[in-house]
Amino acid sequence: MELYEKSAHELKTMLSDRQISCSELVEEYINRIENTNGTLETFLTKTYEAARAKAKSIDNRLAAGEDAGPLGGLPFALKDNMCVDGVSATCSSRLLENFTAPYSCHVYERLDANGAILLGKVDMDEFAMGASNENSAYGTVKNPYDITRVPGGSSGASAASVAAGQAAFALGSDTGGSIRTPAAFCNLTGLKPTYGTVSRYGLIAFASSFDQIGPLARDITDAALIMDTIAGYDQRDSTSINMKKLDYASFLQTGMKGMKIGVDRDALKAGVEDETIRVYEETIGVFKKLGAEIVEVSFDLLQYAVPVYYMVACSEASSNLARFDGIRYGVRAEGKTPEEIIVNSRNKGFGEEVKRRIMLGTYALSAGYYDAYYNKALKVRRMIKNDFYRVLENCDAYLCPTTPAPAYKIGEKNQDFMAMYAADIFTVTANLTGIPAVSFAAGQTKDALPVGMQLMAKALNEAVIFRAVYNFQLETDWHKRHPKL
Amino acid sequence: MSYEIVIGLEIHCELATKSKIFCGCPTTFGAAENENVCPVCMGLPGTLPVLNATVVEYAVKAGLALNCRINKESVMDRKNYFYPDLPKAYQISQFHKPLCEFGFVSVKDEAGEDKKIGITRIHIEEDAGKLVHEKGATLLDNNRCGVPLIEIVSEPDMRSAAQAQSYARKVKAALQTAAVSDCKMQEGSIRFDVNISVRPEGCGTLGTRTEMKNLNSFRALVRAIEYESKRQITVVSEGGKIYQDTLRWDDANGKTISMRSKENAHDYRYFPDPDLVPVVLTDAYIERCANELPEMPESKSRRYIADYGLTRKEAVLLTEDIALSALFEEAVAVGGNPRMCANFILMEVLALIKNEDEDFGGLKLTGGALGRIVQLTEDGTINNSTAKKVLAKTAATGQDPDAIVQEEGLTQINDDDQIRRVVRDVMTRNPQCVRDLSDGKGKAVSYIVGQVMREMKGKANPAVVNALIDETLKEMQK
């Protein structure tokens, strides 16, 4: 097995044991990036100089017998919507092509302080709007398992980079499934944490009441390692929960006998492919074998999840993206008046999907429509939350597919945006309700395409889903697969 | 046809907190361009607002000082529009559920009757930056971005420029007394927007209103209202129509200029800011704020009338300005006669303040010094006109009044013999005047008194001078 195919926690042990040096490990990843980036198109900005310098200083600390930190020496990739002081942050948009962040986001500060090493900023759907990473202004990211297919989105390159061994782990952001969908398509473990447990300070916002930052990693142990570093109260984020940090590593316990897992076979009628249904049943079988009690559940309001999500998220986005006016930063298209500058810059700088969502959101908030659309959607959001809480009273965790189908061909779906939106049916619910949701590698199709399954639990109950995935990954090998690049 | 003027005021007031409303940047006035900024108040991508607790406290105190109901739950909303001085392209404000509602301020109407001017609401919001136009370019100074504001919206209850000015003065006095703002008009920490419409006397519906923004002196406020109300009445009585518009008041030329803005058509798409949580207050918190408020102008005014025998007019004028009432109370505390202290302040001290919008602190006059001057006048050591001189000197130099009187030998001359000699001398040299005096012409007395005072460098006791003029006249008539 190549070094870059190992999990982060394995590499951490090797570094601590001094089996490899940090500088060697960083070079290993840099080589891998250089060999594969042309194909995969994941990295937008490389920070090799700083990475090598940090690796050296960590090696010195290790040599002196010092601790390098919980993530000491582990190289990672960061989605290009997270700010790092002095580094480009484009959100994969033309509008921010020339933007260098003058400060760092909270999660980067935490990773940096704990010894992790930034290799670079990776591609995404523009302003996190998309589920396939086909909406980037800087090219299309490929799925390492099949380079004719999409890696998922919007954190497509975050997933592809880890799957391909370009980084030990990556951070993505999830607003309607943007960590979990790429995790499912690229055979990874991807977590959208409980809303409010990871600070959004420094994350360039898409939809404020939905966005959460989370890990894309090879397994749940890696995810726990990362969460123990990036999670926790940050006073700079007013939506950050002021509570004692959860101890994610402590959730990785063997044995899950008696855990109640809710399953909903009715939901599978929503256009889910046969192979995905097959993997779903196989996953249920594994959990049964591990001692879980399978409980039939059903939802009353699932059919409203996607419309409500798009209505509210786009409304928030229309406001969050208004600051990109070409006046103070970003790429400006000139005009004779301020209005012209603003209109021209946005027209030229934004891609089609971004424009579509801004228009949708603006419409939903506008006078005469606010009550019928935005306000109504907020009310239904509350009802959906209640619906989920009702279901989660009867089970510890809810199991469903991450996506209705595995990775599709590039260009296959991006002409029908409504169909794209509909495919978010299994992921948007966690963002609407704020509950935690993890996608984990659960099988593959006969074409060897990864299939991901999802576990959700009540808010702040990461303990139960971490434990379930941990035991699943002790029992199965899906997460140990690697693409043949 | 008789017309009624209907006026509503929106007052924007900067709260005197040390830091901005959503970040820790300082709010100091007069900093170099773009010095008091950070990624948050500049609205850079990825930044988030955190509400300054002191801003809430000051806004609650402002609400209590203006007799409002404090809402225990209020929400921060986004007001969305594009403009270069607005970094996020939205202003965080409060729309659906403001912090304070249903307040009032009392003024006197033209008939001298008490009238309540209603305050619809007070909400908290952030200020925008400043655009500077120079050398054919527009420059952006972000220092003011994020400075905390309260917006005080009145009911359209005012019916004249005088009522509007009185209302504005009372609001300013309340805010200064509550110590939530320094209300320095010349620094822009308090600004007035006026909405005016006219309608036939007795008509129940409101006419179309125009809006004048950012009037920053009482003088401009009054002049603008008088001009615009006259203009509207002229238009309407000639059968014309008033168009809803935002106007600029051109103080130099004394007229309003249409900005033909599309503001009336603006849809701000207000929605609750998802980056912030609702502001929730307890009864105990509101009570604490109320207990921390000092004595408000209304009750101070009642106390002055009851305890010191001031007239209502005097009491109102003194309590409208926190610096004046402090000066008054200090002067009385050292033993100055209250009515004389009030008189001196309202007649002489105010005259010394050249620009009434200027910070009173520019004068070096202390309450103690003023009280002393009043005492010296009352006990006859100096006369009234000397007192004015001493007051002016103290205010300019800060020098002790007793010292000034000593150094300049300003002690009033009460010596009958000395004065008699000068009076005789003056009357002897002005026989025509004496003849006028005999004929009962009052102007002659002033002339003689003036001449005597000139001879005696203003220090003669005026009562004695007058008495001796009478005495001398009688002698000369014998």
Side-chain angles (χ1 to χ4, degrees), chain A residues 4-25:
Chain A
Y4 57 72
E5 289 175 334
K6 289 182 180 293
S7 70
H9 69 269
E10 285 176 278
L11 291 168
K12 181 69 179 61
T13 309
M14 291 176 78
L15 285 165
S16 308
D17 292 347
R18 320 236 17 244
Q19 282 177 53
I20 44 160
S21 76
C22 184
S23 303
E24 281 176 88
L25 186 60

PDB file of all heavy atoms in Angstrom, chain A residues 4-25:
ATOM      1  N   TYR A   4       0.249   7.295   0.598  1.00  0.00           N
ATOM      2  CA  TYR A   4      -0.887   8.213   0.439  1.00  0.00           C
ATOM      3  C   TYR A   4      -2.231   7.498   0.446  1.00  0.00           C
ATOM      4  O   TYR A   4      -3.271   8.102   0.338  1.00  0.00           O
ATOM      5  CB  TYR A   4      -0.734   9.060  -0.833  1.00  0.00           C
ATOM      6  CG  TYR A   4      -0.575   8.265  -2.119  1.00  0.00           C
ATOM      7  CD1 TYR A   4      -1.660   7.573  -2.677  1.00  0.00           C
ATOM      8  CD2 TYR A   4       0.637   8.222  -2.770  1.00  0.00           C
ATOM      9  CE1 TYR A   4      -1.522   6.849  -3.855  1.00  0.00           C
ATOM     10  CE2 TYR A   4       0.797   7.499  -3.940  1.00  0.00           C
ATOM     11  CZ  TYR A   4      -0.280   6.809  -4.477  1.00  0.00           C
ATOM     12  OH  TYR A   4      -0.115   6.103  -5.642  1.00  0.00           O
ATOM     13  N   GLU A   5      -2.170   6.154   0.532  1.00  0.00           N
ATOM     14  CA  GLU A   5      -3.423   5.414   0.628  1.00  0.00           C
ATOM     15  C   GLU A   5      -3.797   5.114   2.080  1.00  0.00           C
ATOM     16  O   GLU A   5      -4.878   4.612   2.365  1.00  0.00           O
ATOM     17  CB  GLU A   5      -3.315   4.106  -0.164  1.00  0.00           C
ATOM     18  CG  GLU A   5      -3.303   4.322  -1.676  1.00  0.00           C
ATOM     19  CD  GLU A   5      -3.068   3.034  -2.460  1.00  0.00           C
ATOM     20  OE1 GLU A   5      -2.448   2.093  -1.918  1.00  0.00           O
ATOM     21  OE2 GLU A   5      -3.508   2.970  -3.624  1.00  0.00           O
ATOM     22  N   LYS A   6      -2.888   5.454   2.986  1.00  0.00           N
ATOM     23  CA  LYS A   6      -3.161   5.157   4.399  1.00  0.00           C
ATOM     24  C   LYS A   6      -4.095   6.189   4.994  1.00  0.00           C
ATOM     25  O   LYS A   6      -4.222   7.317   4.502  1.00  0.00           O
ATOM     26  CB  LYS A   6      -1.851   5.127   5.187  1.00  0.00           C
ATOM     27  CG  LYS A   6      -0.997   3.909   4.871  1.00  0.00           C
ATOM     28  CD  LYS A   6       0.266   3.900   5.726  1.00  0.00           C
ATOM     29  CE  LYS A   6       1.113   2.685   5.414  1.00  0.00           C
ATOM     30  NZ  LYS A   6       0.486   1.408   5.817  1.00  0.00           N
ATOM     31  N   SER A   7      -4.762   5.759   6.083  1.00  0.00           N
ATOM     32  CA  SER A   7      -5.666   6.703   6.753  1.00  0.00           C
ATOM     33  C   SER A   7      -4.833   7.708   7.554  1.00  0.00           C
ATOM     34  O   SER A   7      -3.663   7.459   7.850  1.00  0.00           O
ATOM     35  CB  SER A   7      -6.600   5.948   7.693  1.00  0.00           C
ATOM     36  OG  SER A   7      -5.866   5.454   8.795  1.00  0.00           O
ATOM     37  N   ALA A   8      -5.454   8.780   7.917  1.00  0.00           N
ATOM     38  CA  ALA A   8      -4.757   9.824   8.667  1.00  0.00           C
ATOM     39  C   ALA A   8      -4.285   9.323  10.023  1.00  0.00           C
ATOM     40  O   ALA A   8      -3.176   9.634  10.445  1.00  0.00           O
ATOM     41  CB  ALA A   8      -5.673  11.034   8.840  1.00  0.00           C
ATOM     42  N   HIS A   9      -5.109   8.534  10.693  1.00  0.00           N
ATOM     43  CA  HIS A   9      -4.694   8.088  12.029  1.00  0.00           C
ATOM     44  C   HIS A   9      -3.542   7.089  11.956  1.00  0.00           C
ATOM     45  O   HIS A   9      -2.680   7.077  12.837  1.00  0.00           O
ATOM     46  CB  HIS A   9      -5.876   7.574  12.858  1.00  0.00           C
ATOM     47  CG  HIS A   9      -6.477   6.286  12.393  1.00  0.00           C
ATOM     48  ND1 HIS A   9      -7.508   6.226  11.498  1.00  0.00           N
ATOM     49  CD2 HIS A   9      -6.192   4.999  12.731  1.00  0.00           C
ATOM     50  CE1 HIS A   9      -7.845   4.964  11.283  1.00  0.00           C
ATOM     51  NE2 HIS A   9      -7.062   4.188  12.013  1.00  0.00           N
ATOM     52  N   GLU A  10      -3.480   6.323  10.879  1.00  0.00           N
ATOM     53  CA  GLU A  10      -2.336   5.421  10.696  1.00  0.00           C
ATOM     54  C   GLU A  10      -1.069   6.250  10.479  1.00  0.00           C
ATOM     55  O   GLU A  10      -0.018   5.963  11.056  1.00  0.00           O
ATOM     56  CB  GLU A  10      -2.537   4.526   9.471  1.00  0.00           C
ATOM     57  CG  GLU A  10      -3.540   3.399   9.661  1.00  0.00           C
ATOM     58  CD  GLU A  10      -3.754   2.628   8.360  1.00  0.00           C
ATOM     59  OE1 GLU A  10      -4.541   3.096   7.511  1.00  0.00           O
ATOM     60  OE2 GLU A  10      -3.133   1.572   8.197  1.00  0.00           O
ATOM     61  N   LEU A  11      -1.173   7.263   9.624  1.00  0.00           N
ATOM     62  CA  LEU A  11      -0.022   8.109   9.337  1.00  0.00           C
ATOM     63  C   LEU A  11       0.445   8.828  10.590  1.00  0.00           C
ATOM     64  O   LEU A  11       1.646   9.011  10.820  1.00  0.00           O
ATOM     65  CB  LEU A  11      -0.370   9.128   8.246  1.00  0.00           C
ATOM     66  CG  LEU A  11      -0.586   8.544   6.854  1.00  0.00           C
ATOM     67  CD1 LEU A  11      -1.202   9.586   5.936  1.00  0.00           C
ATOM     68  CD2 LEU A  11       0.740   8.052   6.264  1.00  0.00           C
ATOM     69  N   LYS A  12      -0.524   9.228  11.404  1.00  0.00           N
ATOM     70  CA  LYS A  12      -0.188   9.928  12.650  1.00  0.00           C
ATOM     71  C   LYS A  12       0.690   9.040  13.529  1.00  0.00           C
ATOM     72  O   LYS A  12       1.689   9.498  14.086  1.00  0.00           O
ATOM     73  CB  LYS A  12      -1.475  10.317  13.390  1.00  0.00           C
ATOM     74  CG  LYS A  12      -1.251  11.072  14.682  1.00  0.00           C
ATOM     75  CD  LYS A  12      -0.694  12.446  14.391  1.00  0.00           C
ATOM     76  CE  LYS A  12      -0.473  13.283  15.634  1.00  0.00           C
ATOM     77  NZ  LYS A  12       0.443  12.813  16.613  1.00  0.00           N
ATOM     78  N   THR A  13       0.315   7.786  13.610  1.00  0.00           N
ATOM     79  CA  THR A  13       1.105   6.843  14.406  1.00  0.00           C
ATOM     80  C   THR A  13       2.509   6.691  13.826  1.00  0.00           C
ATOM     81  O   THR A  13       3.499   6.705  14.550  1.00  0.00           O
ATOM     82  CB  THR A  13       0.423   5.460  14.446  1.00  0.00           C
ATOM     83  OG1 THR A  13      -0.938   5.633  14.824  1.00  0.00           O
ATOM     84  CG2 THR A  13       1.122   4.527  15.426  1.00  0.00           C
ATOM     85  N   MET A  14       2.580   6.575  12.499  1.00  0.00           N
ATOM     86  CA  MET A  14       3.883   6.422  11.854  1.00  0.00           C
ATOM     87  C   MET A  14       4.762   7.651  12.090  1.00  0.00           C
ATOM     88  O   MET A  14       5.978   7.525  12.279  1.00  0.00           O
ATOM     89  CB  MET A  14       3.706   6.206  10.342  1.00  0.00           C
ATOM     90  CG  MET A  14       3.083   4.867   9.990  1.00  0.00           C
ATOM     91  SD  MET A  14       2.795   4.702   8.213  1.00  0.00           S
ATOM     92  CE  MET A  14       4.440   4.337   7.640  1.00  0.00           C
ATOM     93  N   LEU A  15       4.144   8.814  12.084  1.00  0.00           N
ATOM     94  CA  LEU A  15       4.907  10.040  12.324  1.00  0.00           C
ATOM     95  C   LEU A  15       5.405  10.093  13.760  1.00  0.00           C
ATOM     96  O   LEU A  15       6.563  10.393  14.024  1.00  0.00           O
ATOM     97  CB  LEU A  15       4.043  11.284  12.045  1.00  0.00           C
ATOM     98  CG  LEU A  15       3.777  11.631  10.581  1.00  0.00           C
ATOM     99  CD1 LEU A  15       2.628  12.641  10.480  1.00  0.00           C
ATOM    100  CD2 LEU A  15       5.025  12.190   9.914  1.00  0.00           C
ATOM    101  N   SER A  16       4.500   9.757  14.687  1.00  0.00           N
ATOM    102  CA  SER A  16       4.875   9.796  16.102  1.00  0.00           C
ATOM    103  C   SER A  16       5.965   8.792  16.394  1.00  0.00           C
ATOM    104  O   SER A  16       6.867   9.065  17.178  1.00  0.00           O
ATOM    105  CB  SER A  16       3.668   9.517  16.999  1.00  0.00           C
ATOM    106  OG  SER A  16       2.614  10.346  16.672  1.00  0.00           O
ATOM    107  N   ASP A  17       5.855   7.614  15.734  1.00  0.00           N
ATOM    108  CA  ASP A  17       6.866   6.582  15.918  1.00  0.00           C
ATOM    109  C   ASP A  17       8.132   6.872  15.124  1.00  0.00           C
ATOM    110  O   ASP A  17       9.099   6.120  15.196  1.00  0.00           O
ATOM    111  CB  ASP A  17       6.323   5.207  15.470  1.00  0.00           C
ATOM    112  CG  ASP A  17       5.222   4.721  16.399  1.00  0.00           C
ATOM    113  OD1 ASP A  17       5.056   5.313  17.492  1.00  0.00           O
ATOM    114  OD2 ASP A  17       4.532   3.752  16.031  1.00  0.00           O
ATOM    115  N   ARG A  18       8.086   7.959  14.352  1.00  0.00           N
ATOM    116  CA  ARG A  18       9.216   8.379  13.528  1.00  0.00           C
ATOM    117  C   ARG A  18       9.583   7.339  12.469  1.00  0.00           C
ATOM    118  O   ARG A  18      10.749   7.212  12.095  1.00  0.00           O
ATOM    119  CB  ARG A  18      10.425   8.741  14.392  1.00  0.00           C
ATOM    120  CG  ARG A  18      10.025   9.493  15.620  1.00  0.00           C
ATOM    121  CD  ARG A  18      10.622  10.872  15.918  1.00  0.00           C
ATOM    122  NE  ARG A  18      11.263  11.605  14.869  1.00  0.00           N
ATOM    123  CZ  ARG A  18      12.562  11.914  14.900  1.00  0.00           C
ATOM    124  NH1 ARG A  18      13.317  11.552  15.917  1.00  0.00           N
ATOM    125  NH2 ARG A  18      13.090  12.606  13.935  1.00  0.00           N
ATOM    126  N   GLN A  19       8.549   6.574  12.030  1.00  0.00           N
ATOM    127  CA  GLN A  19       8.795   5.635  10.921  1.00  0.00           C
ATOM    128  C   GLN A  19       9.002   6.419   9.637  1.00  0.00           C
ATOM    129  O   GLN A  19       9.687   5.996   8.715  1.00  0.00           O
ATOM    130  CB  GLN A  19       7.595   4.702  10.738  1.00  0.00           C
ATOM    131  CG  GLN A  19       7.537   3.581  11.770  1.00  0.00           C
ATOM    132  CD  GLN A  19       6.298   2.740  11.569  1.00  0.00           C
ATOM    133  OE1 GLN A  19       6.043   2.243  10.470  1.00  0.00           O
ATOM    134  NE2 GLN A  19       5.516   2.602  12.629  1.00  0.00           N
ATOM    135  N   ILE A  20       8.304   7.527   9.535  1.00  0.00           N
ATOM    136  CA  ILE A  20       8.539   8.438   8.410  1.00  0.00           C
ATOM    137  C   ILE A  20       8.680   9.841   8.998  1.00  0.00           C
ATOM    138  O   ILE A  20       8.193  10.110  10.097  1.00  0.00           O
ATOM    139  CB  ILE A  20       7.375   8.483   7.392  1.00  0.00           C
ATOM    140  CG1 ILE A  20       6.018   8.562   8.122  1.00  0.00           C
ATOM    141  CG2 ILE A  20       7.416   7.310   6.445  1.00  0.00           C
ATOM    142  CD1 ILE A  20       4.922   9.081   7.265  1.00  0.00           C
ATOM    143  N   SER A  21       9.345  10.718   8.251  1.00  0.00           N
ATOM    144  CA  SER A  21       9.427  12.094   8.695  1.00  0.00           C
ATOM    145  C   SER A  21       8.290  12.866   8.057  1.00  0.00           C
ATOM    146  O   SER A  21       7.706  12.439   7.043  1.00  0.00           O
ATOM    147  CB  SER A  21      10.762  12.716   8.292  1.00  0.00           C
ATOM    148  OG  SER A  21      10.758  13.018   6.906  1.00  0.00           O
ATOM    149  N   CYS A  22       7.987  13.974   8.671  1.00  0.00           N
ATOM    150  CA  CYS A  22       6.917  14.818   8.157  1.00  0.00           C
ATOM    151  C   CYS A  22       7.277  15.340   6.777  1.00  0.00           C
ATOM    152  O   CYS A  22       6.446  15.367   5.875  1.00  0.00           O
ATOM    153  CB  CYS A  22       6.681  15.951   9.149  1.00  0.00           C
ATOM    154  SG  CYS A  22       5.324  16.966   8.692  1.00  0.00           S
ATOM    155  N   SER A  23       8.517  15.751   6.599  1.00  0.00           N
ATOM    156  CA  SER A  23       8.943  16.262   5.298  1.00  0.00           C
ATOM    157  C   SER A  23       8.792  15.217   4.204  1.00  0.00           C
ATOM    158  O   SER A  23       8.373  15.534   3.089  1.00  0.00           O
ATOM    159  CB  SER A  23      10.410  16.734   5.366  1.00  0.00           C
ATOM    160  OG  SER A  23      10.555  17.707   6.379  1.00  0.00           O
ATOM    161  N   GLU A  24       9.112  13.944   4.541  1.00  0.00           N
ATOM    162  CA  GLU A  24       8.939  12.868   3.558  1.00  0.00           C
ATOM    163  C   GLU A  24       7.480  12.743   3.177  1.00  0.00           C
ATOM    164  O   GLU A  24       7.136  12.576   2.005  1.00  0.00           O
ATOM    165  CB  GLU A  24       9.364  11.512   4.169  1.00  0.00           C
ATOM    166  CG  GLU A  24      10.833  11.242   4.228  1.00  0.00           C
ATOM    167  CD  GLU A  24      11.100   9.916   4.945  1.00  0.00           C
ATOM    168  OE1 GLU A  24      11.097   8.877   4.272  1.00  0.00           O
ATOM    169  OE2 GLU A  24      11.292   9.942   6.184  1.00  0.00           O
ATOM    170  N   LEU A  25       6.639  12.785   4.192  1.00  0.00           N
ATOM    171  CA  LEU A  25       5.204  12.615   3.954  1.00  0.00           C
ATOM    172  C   LEU A  25       4.661  13.744   3.076  1.00  0.00           C
ATOM    173  O   LEU A  25       3.912  13.507   2.126  1.00  0.00           O
ATOM    174  CB  LEU A  25       4.453  12.560   5.284  1.00  0.00           C
ATOM    175  CG  LEU A  25       2.964  12.232   5.210  1.00  0.00           C
ATOM    176  CD1 LEU A  25       2.752  10.865   4.575  1.00  0.00           C
ATOM    177  CD2 LEU A  25       2.333  12.272   6.607  1.00  0.00           C
TER     178      LEU A  25
END
